[in-house]
Every structure is written in C-alpha cells, then in structure tokens.
Amino acid sequence: MNRLTGIMLLLVSGCGSQENAGDPFTSEKAPFQEETIKTTVAGQAAALPDETIALTDEQIYELLERRTGQWKVEGTGSSPDAASFEAMGISVARWKEKGRSIEMVGINSRQGKTTYFLGTVTFDSGLGVFVQRTVINEMTIVSHRRWNPNTRTLVITRIAPPLPSGVKFDFQAQLIDEQTTALQFKVFENDTEVFSESSTGEKIGPIDDARFEALLSSFQKQQESMIRDR
C-alpha cells in the first residue's frame, strides 16, 4: 500500500501573483525545478494523441469559466489487496487572468491522508491543450487536458514528473451539466489494474475570495511545516 499511496499522490489533480520564494511555482525549495519541467514537457509534447481538437476562443473561455467557483468532490476508491475507501475534496477556483488562466486551491482526503494543493490552468495554443500545474507535497505536477466539446469529455495525461517505471493511468472527466462532473481514473502497473477511483464533482457556490485566501493560508502553513520537518 505504501507504493500505491505514493502513486496516488503523483496523480492528484488540484499563489497569487507573488514572484518570490513564497511562490511554490518558482521557489528554489521545490524539488522538481522549472527547467526540468520545461525539458520534460518539450520531450513529451510530440507524444500527445493526434485527435486533439482545435478549440475556439469561446470554447476555451467556457471550460475555464466553468471550473471557477467552489467545488466539492466525493467518491470511492479501491485496489485488489485493500479495502475500499472514501475520497473527498473541496476547492475554490478563480480567474488569474480573465479569459486566459485560472488559479485554484483546495484540500484532498483519501486513505486517512489530508493534503492541501495549489494549482493553475492555462491554455497552450501551440499544443491545443489545457495545461494544469499543481503543487502538492512540495512537488509540482504538470498535466495536459484534452477537451472534446462534442462529447464534453476531458482526457488527462500526466506529463511531469514521470510516473514510476511500468505504471500508467487512465484518467477522464465527463462534464454532465454546468454543476456536475463525473471523474474516473484507473492505475495500472505492468498492465495490471492496481487501483481505481470513481468520484463526482459538484459545484456548490460561486467564486469566494475569502474562502480562497483561507485555503491558501492553510496550504502555505502545510508547506512550511513539511520544510521544517525535513
């Protein structure tokens, strides 16, 4: 289970405009550095599926705007060698640059572990995908999200850091309506399914800056505590 727990932390979906050591996206304390991320993303970009659909500005705006606000996620997970467990999370997302990018902060709880995360989502016009960058447990995770407006489906591909050897996952989000998203992902190790989780995301409120700042403060305190405990 320790290996699976580590894998799950690597899969987690998701500060201000600060440009100093307090910003985890540029902090020198982050173990996975910015140049490493850029190199990895460039190296894997060619591997993106050919079926990426060209999106209009309106479609890009629609998806980003939909993600703003307060969200609650609830679901269950299981693996062949362990009892099933409940998973939950809350997050608040708001515009970072109107029409171009959003920022989000939240908390995830599964298998008795509670972790705060901070993330951004932008659209990369060159690749034709949404790029999400999530900081969790002092690690910066980069994922590409291909949006199909016809099927209302997001297919999520992990880009960096790389998954452990022999590990892959299938991660998709189905947008049911403006308030509901169905999430499903499975983890495979050497082509054998070792983990699955199904959950539902529900929009529970509009953008709330006060709640965003409260969660951000908790995220920063957790990060500082982890640094002290090294």
Side-chain angles (χ1 to χ4, degrees):
M1 286 303 296
N2 288 338
R3 178 172 174 77
L4 284 177
T5 299
I7 291 172
M8 295 313 303
L9 287 174
L10 289 174
L11 298 179
V12 170
S13 22
C15 145
S17 59
Q18 299 174 13
E19 296 182 356
N20 52 43
D23 185 343
F25 288 112
T26 58
S27 173
E28 293 181 359
K29 297 177 182 178
F32 200 73
Q33 295 298 317
E34 188 72 17
E35 290 304 315
T36 305
I37 292 174
K38 290 179 180 178
T39 301
T40 305
V41 170
Q44 296 194 21
L48 286 173
D50 294 332
E51 62 268 24
T52 299
I53 296 175
L55 301 176
T56 65
D57 290 341
E58 290 76 13
Q59 289 169 332
I60 294 168
Y61 181 92
E62 176 192 6
L63 192 66
L64 289 173
E65 196 278 333
R66 183 187 184 280
R67 181 62 182 84
T68 63
Q70 302 171 66
W71 288 81
K72 175 179 68 175
V73 176
E74 294 181 314
T76 59
S78 64
S79 63
D81 58 351
S84 62
F85 64 90
E86 295 183 352
M88 65 81 62
I90 59 170
S91 66
V92 181
R94 65 187 182 185
W95 288 106
K96 185 176 178 69
E97 184 177 356
K98 188 68 177 284
R100 297 179 61 87
S101 63
I102 60 174
E103 56 184 356
M104 66 190 74
V105 64
I107 182 171
N108 284 323
S109 177
R110 52 166 60 86
Q111 292 180 301
K113 297 183 180 298
T114 299
T115 309
Y116 289 89
F117 64 89
L118 176 67
T120 62
V121 180
T122 60
F123 184 75
D124 188 311
S125 57
L127 296 175
V129 300
F130 293 89
V131 179
Q132 179 161 324
R133 298 157 57 85
T134 305
V135 175
I136 186 168
N137 289 340
E138 299 186 274
M139 178 186 298
T140 300
I141 298 172
V142 181
S143 63
H144 286 174
R145 292 156 186 255
R146 290 182 292 113
W147 171 232
N148 186 325
N150 301 316
T151 62
R152 306 287 290 176
T153 302
L154 273 173
V155 177
I156 297 113
T157 304
R158 247 293 288 284
I159 299 298
L163 291 168
S165 177
V167 174
K168 61 181 179 180
F169 71 88
D170 179 7
F171 193 0
Q172 296 191 29
Q174 178 70 53
L175 277 59
I176 308 301
D177 54 41
E178 291 306 307
Q179 310 295 323
T180 312
T181 301
L183 301 139
Q184 175 71 50
F185 68 77
K186 297 181 179 181
V187 182
F188 299 86
E189 188 168 13
N190 298 323
D191 295 323
T192 299
E193 183 178 316
V194 295
F195 190 92
S196 66
E197 184 175 301
S198 299
S199 57
T200 300
E202 178 185 1
K203 192 168 189 176
I204 57 175
I207 296 172
D208 186 326
D209 288 324
R211 195 173 192 187
F212 185 100
E213 295 299 333
L215 285 168
L216 177 59
S217 177
S218 295
F219 166 84
Q220 292 170 332
K221 289 177 181 177
Q222 186 178 69
Q223 293 289 104
E224 293 168 359
S225 176
M226 293 177 66
I227 292 173
R228 287 196 304 268
D229 294 341
R230 284 177 183 172

